[in-house]
Amino acid sequence: MFERFSSEARAVVVAAERHANSLGQSVRPEHLLLGILDQTNSVAVRTLVGTSVDVDGVRRELSPPGRSESNAGTRRPFTPEARKTLELSLREALDAGDDRISTEHVLLGLLREPAGAAAQVLARHGGDLDRIRVAVRSGNRSFVFDIATTMQGQLDRLEREVTRLAEIVDRLGAADEQAPLPQRE
């Protein structure tokens, strides 16, 4: 399944393992949420911030003081809940018509379990789970629309430039036809 993960989504999983290691725990959905928050420029984090979730509060709650890095490098197993979250993220991607899992799909996977600890932490820090879900789903369409609009603008500019260059070539060709041919000596 990991071959379907975008590089950011893979970074979420790696960060979740790192967070679990630092706490000496198995990887849980809360660690996946921390991994999402580590991807500060991702669609998932921008959506959380845009829906007024106190991201720093979530981080503080999930990252208690006294963490140690002594377990670094130790492979921690994923809990059944964390594995289910990843499976749900795949379903979210497929439902959206995407063949790659991105950070927003992992976030939606977490939200599919509203009674889960990660979703509850988001709710405690200002997250309206339904609003987040709608924002993520509409944000994807908006993002794709923005890209398509930008590309269309670039294509329009390129077409104008090609037309302008064709006119210059035509003028140069007309000028060459009118100019007398040089005489050979």
Side-chain angles (χ1 to χ4, degrees):
M1 175 164 68
F2 284 108
E3 65 277 356
R4 289 182 175 242
F5 278 64
S6 69
S7 58
E8 277 187 332
R10 286 180 188 189
V12 166
V13 174
V14 169
E17 288 177 314
R18 190 180 67 249
H19 288 292
N21 274 333
S22 71
L23 296 168
Q25 301 172 343
S26 295
V27 179
R28 301 189 324 239
E30 303 91 297
H31 301 122
L32 290 168
L33 179 55
L34 281 171
I36 289 171
L37 297 180
D38 286 351
Q39 308 308 308
T40 57
N41 291 322
S42 68
V43 171
V45 172
R46 289 194 314 261
T47 301
L48 291 173
V49 169
T51 56
S52 302
V53 171
D54 177 8
V55 172
D56 292 329
V58 171
R59 244 189 225 107
R60 280 191 303 275
E61 182 174 341
L62 293 177
S63 302
R67 295 167 49 141
S68 86
E69 297 297 327
S70 63
N71 296 319
T74 304
R75 297 287 312 210
R76 298 286 175 174
F78 282 70
T79 64
E81 296 82 9
R83 284 194 303 273
K84 183 174 182 182
T85 297
L86 295 177
E87 289 169 13
L88 291 172
S89 66
L90 173 60
R91 283 194 197 148
E92 288 290 342
L94 295 174
D95 288 349
D98 299 328
D99 37 334
R100 303 213 23 101
I101 299 169
S102 299
T103 58
E104 60 270 26
H105 301 123
V106 178
L107 177 60
L108 289 171
L110 288 168
L111 297 179
R112 275 214 179 170
E113 295 292 326
Q120 292 300 304
V121 170
L122 287 171
R124 279 195 296 277
H125 291 279
D128 176 324
L129 303 183
D130 290 330
R131 194 164 143 226
I132 294 169
R133 191 175 294 110
V134 168
V136 167
R137 289 184 178 146
S138 66
N140 281 343
R141 285 191 297 276
S142 173
F143 179 69
V144 169
F145 179 75
D146 290 346
I147 289 174
T149 302
T150 300
M151 290 176 69
Q152 185 61 51
Q154 290 173 343
L155 287 172
D156 290 345
R157 282 191 298 281
L158 181 61
E159 184 178 356
R160 285 192 302 271
E161 187 64 20
V162 167
T163 301
R164 188 180 73 76
L165 290 172
E167 290 169 358
I168 291 170
V169 168
D170 286 345
R171 281 194 307 258
L172 290 173
D176 283 345
E177 289 174 6
Q178 293 175 359
L181 292 174
Q183 299 293 325
R184 285 192 157 180
E185 297 183 21

